[in-house]
Amino acid sequence: MRLAGKVAIVVGAGQTAGDTIGNGRATAILFAREGARVLLVDRDPVSVRETQQLIEREQGLAQIFIGDVTDEGSCARMADECLVAFGRIDVLHYNVGIATSDDELTRLAASAWDQILDVNLKGAFLAAKHVLPVMREQQGGSIINVSSLAA
């Protein structure tokens, strides 16, 4: 078990509806299978609870945090809650990306562009901003930012 004793935060651990498994859910399940305790972060409580149930069926340990990655206070609470629940943060896996109003540049509203940047870039920055001090104090950790064609 490569992640035994480690703690991972998976942001985007729920997923949109569909028949396939999303990157965030798949990562959360794999991290748990590899021995990590996982904080599952998502804005959709129903979907992230499904991820938690899949992990628990395999005897993994996962807790849920419902949050908004575009809100700095929410990202700070995410890091704090992980520390309270598990005592450390070894991995931040940021798997959130949107393509709101996916349209040609000349038809894309500035407000849609702002939302895309807030979720895809600002959210990654805010999540890292609040876990990095913990990782520095521990003298180690990994931050992984991924996306898919959906974003």
Side-chain angles (χ1 to χ4, degrees), residues 81-134:
E81 187 163 315
C82 190
L83 285 175
V84 168
F86 301 123
R88 59 184 299 113
I89 303 170
D90 298 294
V91 178
L92 169 65
H93 180 89
Y94 190 85
N95 183 76
V96 179
I98 61 168
T100 301
S101 301
D102 196 15
D103 207 343
E104 180 184 309
L105 180 63
T106 60
R107 292 192 299 264
L108 186 66
S111 60
W113 177 251
D114 290 342
Q115 184 183 18
I116 291 166
L117 291 180
D118 279 353
V119 172
N120 297 4
L121 297 178
K122 181 182 171 186
F125 156 71
L126 291 174
K129 177 182 179 180
H130 291 284
V131 303
L132 193 55
V134 176

Side-chain angles (χ1 to χ4, degrees), residues 61-73:
L61 181 59
Q63 291 197 16
I64 293 172
F65 179 81
I66 305 302
D68 176 359
V69 296
T70 67
D71 176 68
E72 185 163 5

Side-chain angles (χ1 to χ4, degrees), residues 126-146:
L126 291 174
K129 177 182 179 180
H130 291 284
V131 303
L132 193 55
V134 176
M135 291 178 175
R136 283 183 173 157
E137 186 175 312
Q138 296 169 175
Q139 298 183 342
S142 296
I143 296 174
I144 305 161
N145 295 313
V146 299

Side-chain angles (χ1 to χ4, degrees), residues 20-32:
T20 61
I21 189 165
N23 290 338
R25 179 173 285 172
T27 299
I29 292 168
L30 180 60
F31 283 2

